[in-house]
Amino acid sequence: MYIQAITLFPEMFAALTEYGVTGRALKQGLWRFDALNPRRFADNKLGYIDDRPFGGGPGMIMQAPPLQAALDAARQQAENAVTIYLSPQGKPLTHDMTVALAQQENLIVLCGRYEGIDERLFARNAIQEICIGDFVVSGGELPAMMLIDAVLRHRPQVLGDERSAQEDSFGNGLLDCPHYTRPVEFCGLGVPEVLLSGNHAAIAQWRLKQSLQRTRTRRPDLWERRSLTPQESRLLQEILSEQQDNSISEQEKT
């Protein structure tokens, strides 16, 4: 996969290209990366690529001409690349979207700054606007790195164990289950006995049950969209029965 970022701050992407899973995958040649600074395409000696908004208002707007030139240069290096702009006005990023984007071979990620970019850039180009959350940050670089990291996790061989991406939260439409490691006891807290049992079928069932419970209580929006399998329906009945028993026990204590 070849990813290009159009950004005023190429140095920020060192966090992605030099460290962790994505940095290791880059060194292994599992993906390629280039950053283009639109200042290279400015029509003035100082490299200004922003100006005041027509109609007045606070802040500055990134100009269309240098961004268009940067886009054209990126597309010359990768024909048929999917172009993405990180924006609060975009569609919320989801697990399914990252899986779909991972099937592409070429991505161009456009990182905005200031109050945004000239709207005419969207009129001239096929650009997908994507939002990583209902909040605003100072620029598109951090959201872009989050998107790229999420996408690369679904590329072959990027993760040490490809089951990690499949079993992460959202991989099967549920939140992930709790995890434990050594030591067996920490500050008086132990590890669920089933995880020490060596019974892989029982462990798998416990993990699924925990995922169901977490999703139901923490993300009701995901829960409402889920169609339960017969096994999940049975585990849900166990959860509800246990909750009822706990509620009765608490009432008896009072």
Side-chain angles (χ1 to χ4, degrees):
M1 172 174 268
Y2 181 35
I3 300 177
Q4 299 177 85
I6 298 174
T7 169
L8 294 175
F9 300 99
E11 300 83 1
M12 292 182 67
F13 285 85
L16 194 72
T17 59
E18 297 183 15
Y19 303 96
V21 169
T22 54
R24 182 176 65 248
L26 186 69
K27 292 180 177 66
Q28 293 173 345
L30 299 176
W31 68 294
R32 295 187 296 130
F33 178 80
D34 281 314
L36 289 78
N37 192 327
R39 294 191 191 280
R40 288 172 40 195
F41 305 95
D43 61 358
N44 58 85
K45 293 181 179 180
L46 296 178
Y48 291 135
I49 53 87
D50 59 303
D51 208 333
R52 294 184 298 275
F54 285 123
M60 305 289 276
I61 306 298
M62 296 181 76
Q63 297 172 305
L67 292 177
Q68 184 66 63
L71 270 176
D72 292 342
R75 287 168 176 163
Q76 287 179 2
Q77 300 301 316
E79 293 184 3
N80 301 318
V82 173
T83 304
I84 296 168
Y85 175 58
L86 283 306
S87 164
Q89 287 80 41
K91 293 182 178 179
L93 181 63
T94 66
H95 170 82
D96 289 344
M97 290 170 66
T98 63
V99 172
L101 288 171
Q103 307 306 310
Q104 303 294 325
E105 291 302 323
N106 299 298
L107 295 181
I108 299 171
V109 183
L110 178 58
C111 305
R113 281 272 158 177
Y114 315 122
E115 293 298 313
I117 67 178
D118 192 307
E119 189 69 19
R120 289 169 291 185
L121 200 71
F122 299 106
R124 293 196 72 252
N125 301 274
I127 299 176
Q128 295 184 27
E129 292 189 71
I130 293 179
C131 172
I132 64 163
D134 292 338
F135 55 91
V136 176
V137 293
S138 299
E141 285 77 14
L142 291 175
M145 284 187 275
M146 293 179 67
L147 179 143
I148 293 170
D149 186 291
V151 167
L152 288 174
R153 291 175 61 84
H154 299 291
R155 294 289 295 184
Q157 303 178 349
V158 168
L159 297 180
D161 187 336
E162 294 188 8
R163 292 178 302 173
S164 296
Q166 299 168 7
E167 296 179 4
D168 277 342
S169 289
F170 312 114
N172 62 354
L174 297 170
L175 298 184
D176 201 2
C177 64
H179 295 283
Y180 299 84
T181 188
R182 293 180 177 82
V184 173
E185 185 173 322
F186 169 69
C187 296
L189 300 173
V191 175
E193 288 295 329
V194 65
L195 299 180
L196 306 175
S197 68
N199 186 332
H200 296 295
I203 290 171
Q205 179 169 281
W206 180 87
R207 286 174 170 166
L208 176 57
K209 187 175 179 179
Q210 294 295 313
S211 290
L212 290 166
Q213 173 69 343
R214 281 193 166 186
T215 307
R216 179 172 173 268
T217 57
R218 299 185 184 186
R219 288 294 301 274
D221 57 319
L222 293 176
W223 183 256
E224 290 175 1
R225 298 198 298 266
R226 185 166 185 82
S227 297
L228 298 180
T229 66
Q231 181 188 21
E232 291 171 350
S233 296
R234 178 178 58 79
L235 291 175
L236 176 60
Q237 291 305 312
E238 289 184 12
I239 292 170
L240 296 175
S241 178
E242 290 167 2
Q243 289 179 340
Q244 185 176 14
D245 291 342
N246 291 336
S247 176
I248 294 173
S249 177
E250 289 298 322
Q251 291 176 4
E252 290 175 347
K253 289 179 182 180
T254 58

